[in-house]
Amino acid sequence: MTLVPLDGSPAGTPHGSAGADGGPAAGTAGAPSGPAATTTSPPVASPGHSGTGNRRSDAPEPHAPEPDPSPSAPSSPAPTSPAAPADLAWSAPVREATDKRWCEKVTVGFRNTGGTAVRSGTITLGTHIIGALGVDWATITSTRPLPVPVAPGSRGSGTWTVCVDDWRVPLGMHVETRIVTVDWS
């Protein structure tokens, strides 16, 4: 390969210099000078690139573009946070007498303050057997299904007829449903 300066003079000859005899400088004897003396190297192809042609020796080597250092925004939408679980609150029982002293109607209000619907659950009612003098003789529990679904942010209620065995409530006694516990999912 022959290096050719940009001014066209042969390699090894300083710009505008000649040998002692006025001819070409030593080391270039017999080499033509002038514009016809310029030699070109054969076409060079870069690895990984196609094409022909000469590259200037002072031209930078081709390289892959550098990645942009600035962070880019994600192309997908921001993830959404999962909805909050159901959170059910309930009221104290509202009682209503029936024609049988061992039964009563019980209404309980519900409110879902969570982010998802209540889809299933049970309510457990604790019914006290109260004697004629106000003595609490026993507590009997009964479990019923919840009135579902209860949507997020909504209210609802359920009414159940709650009875105990008639022999547990002799004449002069009555029942009072006072305890409410709820289990939901």
Side-chain angles (χ1 to χ4, degrees), residues 86 88 117-123 145-150 182-185:
L88 195 62
V118 173
R119 303 206 183 282
S120 65
T122 57
I123 183 168
L146 281 178
V148 290
V150 181
V182 179
D183 183 30
W184 75 89
S185 58

Side-chain angles (χ1 to χ4, degrees), residues 3-49:
L3 296 178
V4 179
L6 294 178
D7 65 357
S9 62
T13 306
H15 180 66
S17 68
D21 61 354
T28 59
S33 64
T38 304
T39 60
T40 59
S41 57
V44 177
S46 301
H49 298 281

Side-chain angles (χ1 to χ4, degrees), residues 8-98:
S9 62
T13 306
H15 180 66
S17 68
D21 61 354
T28 59
S33 64
T38 304
T39 60
T40 59
S41 57
V44 177
S46 301
H49 298 281
S50 61
T52 61
N54 294 330
R55 289 193 312 215
R56 291 179 39 179
S57 61
D58 61 341
E61 289 288 323
H63 61 278
E66 294 184 22
D68 183 11
S70 63
S72 59
S75 60
S76 61
T80 57
S81 59
D87 188 11
L88 195 62
W90 55 93
S91 68
V94 176
R95 300 175 12 251
E96 181 183 338
T98 65

